Amino acid sequence: VAGVSISDDEREVFFQRLINEVRTAVRAGADVVLSWSALRQEHRERFRLEFPATYFVFLEVDEATATARSVARKAADPSQPGPGIIPG
């Protein structure tokens, strides 16, 4: 459901799947870019253990810009979450 956080158990299942997918891609010689808004510090640490060459990029945006982008995405695709998911 849009705007509802996933549980820690759900996040762990998803994280393990991401690890497996990235591992498969890396073994095949691919470069990988991953974007996940629910990635926590513990996940970053675990990712670094598995993939030492990992880089993390923190994208910082002010609330007004994030809200405007969310409204535009929702207008273009109603299945997208709206600005209610942006912490105020």
Side-chain angles (χ1 to χ4, degrees), residues 15 39-51 56:
F15 179 73
L39 196 66
R40 294 182 172 170
Q41 180 65 37
E42 71 177 82
H43 299 118
R44 291 190 296 272
E45 291 168 2
R46 290 167 57 194
F47 231 90
R48 282 189 184 104
L49 288 173
E50 180 83 25
F51 310 105
F56 293 97

Side-chain angles (χ1 to χ4, degrees), residues 22-45:
V22 171
R23 186 182 298 123
T24 299
V26 168
R27 286 181 181 159
D31 292 325
V32 178
V33 175
L34 173 69
S35 173
W36 183 24
S37 62
L39 196 66
R40 294 182 172 170
Q41 180 65 37
E42 71 177 82
H43 299 118
R44 291 190 296 272
E45 291 168 2

Side-chain angles (χ1 to χ4, degrees), residues 1-85:
V1 177
V4 177
S5 296
I6 61 175
S7 71
D8 287 339
D9 290 339
E10 293 167 322
R11 183 177 283 109
E12 182 60 28
V13 170
F14 191 69
F15 179 73
Q16 285 303 318
R17 180 158 183 200
L18 290 175
I19 286 284
N20 292 337
E21 293 292 330
V22 171
R23 186 182 298 123
T24 299
V26 168
R27 286 181 181 159
D31 292 325
V32 178
V33 175
L34 173 69
S35 173
W36 183 24
S37 62
L39 196 66
R40 294 182 172 170
Q41 180 65 37
E42 71 177 82
H43 299 118
R44 291 190 296 272
E45 291 168 2
R46 290 167 57 194
F47 231 90
R48 282 189 184 104
L49 288 173
E50 180 83 25
F51 310 105
T54 297
Y55 293 91
F56 293 97
V57 177
F58 177 72
L59 302 178
E60 189 171 11
V61 63
D62 62 83
E63 187 176 344
T65 301
T67 299
R69 290 176 182 173
S70 182
V71 167
R73 277 193 301 273
K74 182 75 171 175
D77 179 358
S79 71
Q80 293 292 314
I85 67 166

